[in-house]
Amino acid sequence: MIEAIITFFKDVGLSFIPLFVAVDAIGILPFILSLTQDMNPAERPRTIRYAMLTALALGLVFIAIGKGIIFLLGIAIGDFLVAGGLILLVLAIRHLITGKLVELQPSVSKEMIGVVPIGTPLVVGPAVLTTLLLLTQQYPFPAVILAFVLNLAFAWLIFAQANRVARLLREQGLRASSQIASLLLAAIAVMMIRQGLTAILM
């Protein structure tokens, strides 16, 4: 019994680390600050809450049925990485050129920013979904789910400091940090595309 518990938490730890890298909560924070810079201190936490609930729901659904859908559609991991990398690259280039990741219509509520693009593809995007898919092939579902939930809880704690960071950086600092984050996002996107192409060609 004790050995089974130790093995379970070992699997949780081994699943937690790659998910921690894929979620990259600290790296995402500048994007959240950029997307929510026009919100007041009360609106920003509500938007983040919508983002985390979206990320949780998407991740759990993908853990449950993602492997089956990919198998039925005949999609390889490499295909998934290339497609996801291209999407992130377009978003990064758009942000570098226009200063906006997405163009929101006036009728769109601020909470929707939490769903798209913060909840997905920023928090749970192609990198996280691919990592989840690989982990469910190596470790038990409960261990992967717990590791995923723990990562989202950590991310939520980081994002909860958004108001403090926004006050510290002010508007000019927010704009500068968001531009740097866009360059990093573009680099991550290129890396995903490279890994996907390598997987396809091998």
Side-chain angles (χ1 to χ4, degrees):
M1 182 67 179
I2 296 177
E3 185 177 342
I5 294 173
I6 293 173
T7 301
F8 173 77
F9 281 104
K10 180 181 178 181
D11 291 341
V12 171
L14 291 172
S15 300
F16 181 90
I17 294 171
L19 282 171
F20 181 82
V21 174
V23 173
D24 190 19
I26 297 173
I28 292 171
L29 185 57
F31 290 104
I32 292 178
L33 293 171
S34 175
L35 288 163
T36 61
Q37 62 186 349
D38 296 327
M39 297 181 187
N40 61 49
E43 292 172 330
R44 189 177 283 117
R46 186 166 62 247
T47 300
I48 291 172
R49 185 166 62 251
Y50 274 90
M52 302 314 294
L53 291 174
T54 299
L56 177 63
L58 180 60
L60 292 178
V61 168
F62 194 80
I63 289 173
I65 64 174
K67 184 177 179 181
I69 291 176
I70 287 178
F71 176 77
L72 288 174
L73 295 177
I75 299 173
I77 296 295
D79 302 331
F80 201 72
L81 284 170
V82 171
L86 287 173
I87 291 172
L88 290 181
L89 183 60
V90 169
L91 288 174
I93 292 173
R94 177 185 176 85
H95 187 261
L96 286 168
I97 295 174
T98 68
K100 296 181 179 180
L101 279 172
V102 292
E103 191 70 40
L104 295 173
Q105 300 299 322
S107 59
V108 175
S109 66
K110 291 182 178 179
E111 287 81 2
M112 281 304 298
I113 297 176
V115 178
V116 178
I118 298 178
T120 182
L122 288 180
V123 178
V124 172
V128 174
L129 295 178
T130 302
T131 303
L132 285 172
L133 184 65
L134 294 173
L135 289 174
T136 53
Q137 295 176 356
Q138 301 175 54
Y139 306 108
F141 273 44
V144 176
I145 291 172
L146 180 56
F148 175 62
V149 171
L150 289 174
N151 266 287
L152 290 187
F154 175 79
W156 201 332
L157 289 175
I158 295 295
F159 301 158
Q161 307 306 311
N163 281 335
R164 292 183 182 179
V165 177
R167 286 195 299 269
L168 180 66
L169 293 179
R170 306 199 176 180
E171 184 177 353
Q172 292 166 337
L174 287 174
R175 294 188 185 279
S177 63
S178 67
Q179 290 296 316
I180 294 171
S182 290
L183 286 172
L184 293 174
L185 184 64
I188 292 170
V190 171
M191 178 189 69
M192 289 178 63
I193 293 170
R194 175 173 52 80
Q195 290 176 341
L197 290 174
T198 301
I200 291 171
L201 296 175
M202 285 182 65

